[in-house]
């Protein structure tokens, strides 16, 4: 009952196994204040990182002219990953990774994932071992400094309502794969509004069909709860990323190859169903003794 004093475990704010009796309303208020504070710190950090990283990017651009391109690409990748991992830590996320060994290490791949939050990119990109470009919506290209970093890291911007421009982006992604650069896409085309995935767009899979690169199904669970319907307060969430076994287009029967998007989506759905019973919030993991 709201307002009733009860004894609750609250290690986040008092540092002990149990705190003095507080009301449920006070407990919720403390979580809201904490989430709002994390949002402010996380957003401020991201802005400052973009501002102060711009001169660093300029210096690295001129240094790159006389250095190995791959080495500089990896250095840029690690810098951005460090920034993303800091954002994850500030927001109090607990990230569980499953099946990371399923990713081939000797060739570029096409990552295909479900999409529920901007955090899908922040979290998954922080785990990439090698050069990987993301296909993002065109609106992100308007963000100063961020757009320069993204282009430098082989990200592409797609206009969903412009078929010709979309096909040019797909062709550029094919060229990147042929150069040894992996590509990540969210074939739903937009962020989902519920746990149920939207149908995958088959055109996205032309990248794999034209290059015969492995397709890595990636199931991302619980990111929609980080912000959810309580914007701008973040919630300390348990995020699960599971990498499925690679799908090799050239090893599929001819008929199945026509349905590559459905095969990938079915595998992602299976992984999401398998992980849906795991705790969603960090406080649940603590109460169950998982942390």
């Amino acid at each position: 009952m709201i307002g009733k004093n009860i004894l609750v475990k609250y290690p986040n704010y008092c540092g002990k196994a149990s705190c003095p009796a507080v009301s449920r309303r006070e407990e919720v208020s403390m979580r809201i204040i904490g989430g709002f504070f994390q949002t402010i710190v996380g957003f401020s950090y991201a802005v400052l990182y973009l501002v102060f990283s711009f001169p660093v990017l300029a210096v690295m651009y001129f240094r790159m002219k006389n250095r190995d391109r791959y080495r500089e690409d990896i250095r840029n990748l690690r810098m951005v990953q460090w920034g993303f991992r800091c954002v994850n830590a500030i927001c109090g996320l607990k990230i569980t990774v499953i099946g990371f060994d399923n990713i081939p290490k000797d060739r570029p791949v096409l990552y295909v994932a479900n999409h529920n939050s901007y955090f899908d990119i922040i979290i998954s990109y922080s785990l990439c071992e090698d050069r990987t470009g993301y296909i993002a919506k065109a609106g992100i290209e308007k963000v100063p400094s961020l757009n320069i970093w993204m282009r430098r890291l082989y990200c592409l911007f797609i206009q969903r309502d412009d078929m010709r421009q979309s096909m040019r982006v797909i062709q550029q992604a094919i060229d990147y794969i042929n150069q040894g650069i992996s590509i990540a896409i969210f074939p739903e085309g937009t962020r989902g509004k519920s746990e149920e995935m939207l149908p995958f767009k088959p055109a996205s899979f032309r990248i794999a069909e034209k290059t015969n690169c492995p397709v890595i199904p990636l199931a991302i669970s619980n990111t929609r709860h980080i912000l959810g319907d309580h914007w701008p307060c973040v919630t300390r969430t348990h995020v699960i990323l599971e990498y499925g076994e690679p799908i090799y287009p050239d090893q599929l029967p001819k008929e199945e190859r026509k349905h590559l998007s459905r095969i990938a989506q079915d595998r992602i759905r299976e992984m999401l169903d398998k992980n849906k019973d795991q705790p969603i919030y960090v406080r649940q993991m603590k109460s169950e003794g998982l942390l």
Side-chain angles (χ1 to χ4, degrees):
M1 178 177 177
I2 299 296
K4 181 180 179 181
N5 287 336
I6 56 174
L7 194 67
V8 296
K9 293 183 181 297
Y10 215 98
N12 293 343
Y13 292 92
C14 69
K16 300 179 181 179
S18 61
C19 296
V22 296
S23 69
R24 178 66 66 182
R25 182 174 299 173
E26 290 173 341
E27 178 188 356
V28 173
S29 297
M30 292 166 72
R31 286 177 180 163
I32 292 175
I33 293 172
F36 186 65
F37 177 76
Q38 286 176 305
T39 301
I40 294 175
V41 174
F43 181 77
S44 301
Y45 169 83
V47 171
L48 291 174
Y49 185 89
L50 288 175
V51 171
F52 287 104
S53 67
F54 188 76
V56 175
L57 183 62
V59 172
M60 295 182 69
Y61 172 78
F62 288 106
R63 288 181 59 190
M64 183 192 70
K65 292 183 177 181
N66 299 317
R67 290 177 177 268
D68 177 59
R69 177 62 182 264
Y70 178 80
R71 180 181 176 184
E72 293 299 322
D73 285 344
I74 294 299
R75 186 174 305 191
N76 290 340
L77 172 65
R78 299 295 178 249
M79 285 183 61
V80 173
Q81 287 180 321
W82 181 82
F84 282 170
R85 287 167 183 161
C86 288
V87 171
N88 295 336
I90 291 171
C91 293
L93 306 182
K94 171 63 178 176
I95 301 172
T96 298
V97 181
I98 305 170
F100 195 72
D101 292 339
N102 286 327
I103 305 172
K105 303 298 188 291
D106 59 344
R107 57 192 300 189
V109 302
L110 177 67
Y111 297 99
V112 295
N114 59 303
H115 193 23
N116 281 311
S117 169
Y118 285 118
F119 277 91
D120 296 334
I121 300 174
I122 295 174
I123 296 171
S124 61
Y125 198 78
S126 67
L127 297 170
C128 294
E129 286 194 328
D130 208 339
R131 297 179 298 175
T132 304
Y134 275 62
I135 296 181
K137 66 179 183 179
I140 299 179
E141 192 176 12
K142 299 178 182 179
V143 181
S145 187
L146 177 62
N147 54 8
I148 299 176
W149 269 112
M150 292 183 71
R151 290 195 198 98
R152 186 67 185 81
L153 294 169
Y154 302 101
C155 293
L156 300 169
F157 304 96
I158 192 167
Q159 296 177 4
R160 294 190 293 261
D161 56 350
D162 188 335
M163 183 60 67
R164 289 186 178 181
Q165 192 272 350
S166 298
M167 295 311 300
R168 288 197 297 270
V169 168
I170 295 297
Q171 183 57 53
Q172 182 62 67
I174 291 172
D175 293 341
Y176 281 162
I177 290 284
N178 290 330
Q179 295 173 34
I181 302 163
S182 295
I183 294 293
I185 59 173
F186 299 100
E188 293 171 274
T190 186
R191 296 190 306 278
K193 303 299 183 182
S194 67
E195 299 294 344
E196 185 64 29
M197 286 187 290
L198 299 172
F200 279 9
K201 299 183 183 300
S204 306
F205 291 83
R206 291 180 184 174
I207 301 170
E209 293 170 358
K210 295 294 185 180
T211 62
N212 282 324
C213 70
V215 176
I216 305 297
L218 173 57
I220 307 176
S221 301
N222 301 336
T223 50
R224 65 190 309 269
H225 298 285
I226 299 173
L227 289 170
D229 57 358
H230 43 77
W231 166 264
C233 300
V234 299
T235 300
R236 303 182 66 191
T237 304
H238 175 214
V239 179
I240 305 172
L241 281 79
E242 182 167 0
Y243 296 86
E245 294 183 359
I247 304 170
Y248 295 92
D250 56 345
Q251 296 180 10
L252 293 174
K254 187 175 181 180
E255 283 302 314
E256 289 189 19
R257 190 169 181 173
K258 296 178 182 178
H259 305 289
L260 185 56
S261 61
R262 178 180 56 78
I263 294 172
Q265 185 164 26
D266 287 345
R267 293 198 184 182
I268 292 174
R269 185 177 290 109
E270 289 174 4
M271 292 185 285
L272 292 173
D273 290 342
K274 178 171 68 71
N275 296 324
K276 67 181 181 181
D277 293 330
Q278 296 296 318
I280 296 176
Y281 302 109
V282 172
R283 63 178 181 269
Q284 290 177 307
M285 300 182 71
K286 290 184 176 181
S287 66
E288 296 176 15
L290 300 176
L291 286 178

